[in-house]
Amino acid sequence: MTSNDDYVLEVLQEHNMVTPEQIEDARSSLMGNNLSVVDILIQNNVITEQDTLALLASQFGMEMVSLEGFDIPVEIRDLIPADTARRFRVVPLYRNEGTLTVAVSDPLDVDNLDSLRYMLKYEVEGVVALNSEIQACLEKYYAADDAMDTMMDQLTEGTVDVAVSGTEDIVAGDDASDTDAPIIKLVSLIILEAYRHRSSDIHLEPLEKRFRVRYRIDGVLHEVDSPPKRLQSAIVSRIKIMSNMKISEKRTPQDGRIQVNIKGRELDLRVSTVPTNHGESIVMRILDKQNLALGLPKLGFFSDDQQTFEILIQQPDGILLVTGPTGSGKTTTLYACLNYVNHPDRKIITVEDPVEYQLSGINQVPVRTDIGMTFAAALRAILRQAPNIVMIGEIRDVETAQIATEASLTGHLVFSTLHTNDAPSAITRLLDIGVKPFLVASSLRAAMAQRLVRCICDSCKETYTPEPSELRLLGAAAKDFGGVDLYRGRGCNKCSLTGYSGRKGIFEIFLVDDAIQQMIFDKQPASHLRAYARENGMRTLREDGLRKVIAGVTSIQEILRVTMGDEN
């Protein structure tokens, strides 16, 4: 475990943590393996690594720290190259007034710190952490560096092989020449690493002195090691070729699509470029067709809300609105609804901008404003196709909204989305864009607001008692958590030390009854509608989220993060 086994054993005996007999027993187990006596004692549960390191740290006046959930900024990580960090088994944590603090697992190995001071040319201070935590940080923060460094070496030397690690599993149809192979492999590597990390988007951002690459994982952006700035133009051009964009056009935004096959799995990438002052910024949104198989329970509904929602989506007519900001999972929810109601005796047509996923057995109409095929024009046309169910990607203007409401009043069930923060505000939005109150009151069956929260990682989930400071942030809801053990993610290799893996929805279902209809006729504000709905059993987003906290699905911090503007 350390570089001086005899010293450690002496200290352990001084503090009555081991006996001479236990040490002799451990020595007798050394034959034929590379472990030390201290390692054997830990393996036999005589001592723990935590207690041993804490004792040694106190002997040397060093601090013992936990790296679970510790987030290392990229500017700190880059102070120590990946090969140096692995060779010395250190992790940079933070810098303060010219002193860099690093985590080490062997407080006796002072030579490592001296070598780092010499190499980095500034003061280095050590703190002690568990070897497993340091290993996890090295894998989390430097794994991408190793893969990228290998690729950069091959690009520089011109020795890129056809079978670069992993990229042979990506197939993107094009006829590139052999001279383009290095950049092709590099772009494939970026996409493959994003897929492996369960990313929803890839962001390639040109900055003044570097070309930054970030992955959005479970709704949060994480920066990864980036290619050299000199390759920016070649990478952008390669992506534009793959997505059928105009390479020569760099002054205006462009949109495109890439279809790739990773390990036999079909993915669509929606690509968007925007010119910036340091080059073209690219965002690739990863659309996985297998996610469409989500059933309603997998969206995050509890049984009572799911039962209510299933009744709503099986109505013969009316409008059901799903509301929330961009990235809150509205489209996924609507697709899950369509899958649920998709039966041979029903005709379903969607109008989308763009069509994100191909759904079997459903007629999907893409919006094309360049030829006059707007939401309103498409909606008028498809109503003549005698559908039972219509999905409108988004209600954006009064014309679309009026056609949708009139369609719902003539026997069609209409699903659509709106960008509002809560469910009752959907009514105010429809009235504001010009829909008559009597049309809204007569057609709207319900509005459902939703957000996505990260789920606690099952591999490292543990119970804990919430701090008073956490409960104070909850306000009135804090009373529900008095003395209750909650769950959090400790952080492990499977969740990249974040403590979270995957996402589920939290929901606010606003049902339109006779009283709500009268309030809409009277043009009551959203605050009055919300107050009435809450008095009659509507749970807010935060309240639904806190139910999921008690159930161990997510954490208090995550609910506070996504519902900070929610009323208590």
Side-chain angles (χ1 to χ4, degrees):
M1 186 185 80
T2 69
S3 55
N4 193 327
D5 214 34
D6 292 336
Y7 174 80
V8 177
L9 292 172
E10 183 180 330
V11 172
L12 289 171
Q13 288 187 83
E14 286 178 2
H15 288 78
N16 299 317
M17 293 177 66
V18 296
T19 64
E21 291 78 11
Q22 290 170 327
I23 292 176
E24 287 306 314
D25 288 343
R27 288 190 195 280
S28 65
S29 304
L30 286 177
M31 292 183 298
N33 62 52
N34 296 321
L35 299 176
S36 68
V37 175
V38 176
D39 292 329
I40 296 293
L41 290 169
I42 293 173
Q43 193 177 79
N44 293 340
N45 297 319
V46 176
I47 55 176
T48 66
E49 183 186 4
Q50 176 83 35
D51 293 341
T52 304
L53 287 178
L55 176 60
L56 293 175
S58 66
Q59 292 285 309
F60 287 85
M62 299 173 73
E63 182 185 356
M64 181 80 184
V65 300
S66 171
L67 300 183
E68 292 180 2
F70 196 93
D71 189 32
I72 302 173
V74 66
E75 62 271 14
I76 299 300
R77 182 203 66 185
D78 288 346
L79 292 175
I80 300 182
D83 58 340
T84 303
R86 289 191 182 280
R87 185 166 77 251
F88 292 108
R89 293 199 62 76
V90 299
V91 176
L93 302 181
Y94 47 85
R95 183 172 56 180
N96 185 25
E97 297 181 356
T99 298
L100 176 65
T101 299
V102 302
V104 301
S105 60
D106 184 358
L108 276 63
D109 194 356
V110 294
D111 290 341
N112 274 357
L113 296 180
D114 288 338
S115 298
L116 282 173
R117 292 186 186 103
Y118 177 77
M119 293 173 61
L120 302 176
K121 307 302 181 187
Y122 46 73
E123 185 60 30
V124 177
E125 182 179 86
V127 295
V128 183
L130 294 177
N131 184 60
S132 59
E133 294 181 353
I134 288 178
Q135 181 61 33
C137 282
L138 290 173
E139 291 176 0
K140 174 183 178 181
Y141 292 103
Y142 291 109
D145 297 44
D146 294 340
M148 196 64 75
D149 286 344
T150 301
M151 178 63 77
M152 291 305 103
D153 292 342
Q154 292 171 327
L155 285 168
T156 302
E157 299 167 7
T159 60
V160 174
D161 219 37
V162 173
V164 176
S165 176
T167 56
E168 69 274 11
D169 294 316
I170 290 187
V171 180
D174 58 78
D175 298 319
S177 66
D178 291 340
T179 57
D180 297 325
I183 295 300
I184 292 173
K185 295 288 190 292
L186 178 54
V187 172
S188 295
L189 178 66
I190 292 171
I191 295 172
L192 181 64
E193 285 301 305
Y195 169 77
R196 286 173 174 167
H197 285 86
R198 302 177 295 103
S199 307
S200 59
D201 348 279
I202 306 169
H203 294 250
L204 298 101
E205 302 160 317
L207 305 179
E208 183 178 5
K209 295 182 179 179
R210 61 194 184 100
F211 188 44
R212 182 167 68 179
V213 178
R214 294 193 288 177
Y215 297 153
R216 189 181 298 279
I217 305 170
D218 293 334
V220 178
L221 281 171
H222 297 269
E223 185 164 348
V224 298
D225 195 62
S226 305
K229 178 75 173 176
R230 59 187 171 80
L231 296 179
Q232 173 182 315
S233 178
I235 292 171
V236 171
S237 295
R238 168 61 184 163
I239 293 172
K240 291 171 78 172
I241 289 172
M242 293 173 70
S243 50
N244 293 316
M245 296 183 189
K246 297 178 181 177
I247 301 179
S248 59
E249 182 54 75
K250 301 179 180 180
R251 299 168 298 173
T252 60
Q254 295 188 69
D255 293 304
R257 171 167 286 187
I258 302 172
Q259 290 188 325
V260 298
N261 184 301
I262 300 180
K263 299 181 184 294
R265 191 162 183 164
E266 295 287 341
L267 298 182
D268 282 343
L269 278 66
R270 273 177 50 191
V271 186
S272 170
T273 69
V274 172
T276 71
N277 54 342
H278 296 299
E280 290 179 277
S281 174
I282 292 182
V283 175
M284 294 187 280
R285 185 177 180 189
I286 301 173
L287 306 173
D288 188 349
K289 295 179 180 179
Q290 291 193 16
N291 289 339
L292 292 182
L294 285 177
L296 293 180
K298 292 186 178 180
L299 295 178
F301 285 110
F302 279 159
S303 57
D304 52 350
D305 282 344
Q306 182 179 331
Q307 184 177 10
T308 300
F309 195 66
E310 287 177 357
I311 293 172
L312 287 171
I313 63 178
Q314 294 184 85
Q315 297 290 315
D317 54 29
I319 296 179
L320 172 63
L321 295 176
V322 180
T323 75
T326 300
S328 60
K330 299 186 299 297
T331 301
T332 301
T333 296
L334 287 183
Y335 279 146
C337 293
L338 294 179
N339 277 329
Y340 187 84
V341 299
N342 186 12
H343 302 298
D345 62 340
R346 295 175 181 170
K347 184 176 179 69
I348 303 175
I349 304 181
T350 72
V351 183
E352 305 171 63
D353 182 20
V355 173
E356 293 189 356
Y357 299 99
Q358 302 290 335
L359 298 175
S360 177
I362 294 176
N363 301 280
Q364 296 173 268
V365 179
V367 168
R368 294 190 56 187
T369 53
D370 55 330
I371 60 172
M373 190 65 160
T374 62
F375 272 111
L379 190 52
R380 277 196 215 93
I382 67 174
L383 289 178
R384 293 193 288 270
Q385 297 276 312
N388 300 106
I389 299 170
V390 175
M391 188 195 90
I392 307 170
E394 182 184 349
I395 294 179
R396 300 177 179 176
D397 53 58
V398 62
E399 189 177 9
T400 303
Q402 284 180 337
I403 297 172
T405 53
E406 290 167 1
S408 70
L409 294 174
T410 55
H412 302 87
L413 179 60
V414 180
F415 299 143
S416 191
T417 68
L418 275 179
H419 288 282
T420 62
N421 290 329
D422 62 2
S425 296
I427 292 174
T428 307
R429 177 63 56 83
L430 290 174
L431 296 177
D432 285 345
I433 64 176
V435 184
K436 301 297 183 184
F438 75 91
L439 285 175
V440 176
S442 303
S443 62
L444 188 63
R445 295 288 178 265
M448 184 179 75
Q450 72 174 65
R451 301 288 189 278
L452 292 177
V453 295
R454 292 181 291 174
C455 299
I456 298 172
C457 175
D458 288 331
S459 299
C460 60
K461 181 185 287 189
E462 63 181 10
T463 59
Y464 81 106
T465 302
E467 298 290 335
S469 57
E470 288 181 275
L471 298 180
R472 279 196 297 271
L473 292 172
L474 294 176
K479 66 181 186 300
D480 298 329
F481 295 89
V484 176
D485 284 337
L486 301 181
Y487 294 89
R488 65 183 174 190
R490 186 175 61 254
C492 63
N493 291 340
K494 289 187 177 179
C495 62
S496 301
L497 292 182
T498 62
Y500 297 100
S501 179
R503 289 190 292 175
K504 287 191 182 295
I506 58 174
F507 307 96
E508 175 181 286
I509 301 178
F510 174 77
L511 301 174
V512 177
D513 58 16
D514 292 341
I516 293 290
Q517 285 183 334
Q518 186 58 51
M519 294 173 76
I520 297 172
F521 279 127
D522 297 337
K523 295 185 179 180
Q524 295 279 343
S527 58
H528 291 185
L529 298 171
R530 184 178 181 82
Y532 170 84
R534 293 200 63 190
E535 289 172 3
N536 287 270
M538 183 188 82
R539 275 185 294 269
T540 65
L541 288 165
R542 175 169 292 184
E543 288 167 347
D544 187 49
L546 294 180
R547 288 204 302 165
K548 292 177 170 69
V549 169
I550 294 174
V553 175
T554 188
S555 66
I556 289 179
Q557 295 83 358
E558 188 67 5
I559 296 301
L560 290 173
R561 180 180 71 88
V562 301
T563 65
M564 194 54 73
D566 191 26
E567 297 179 17
N568 289 314

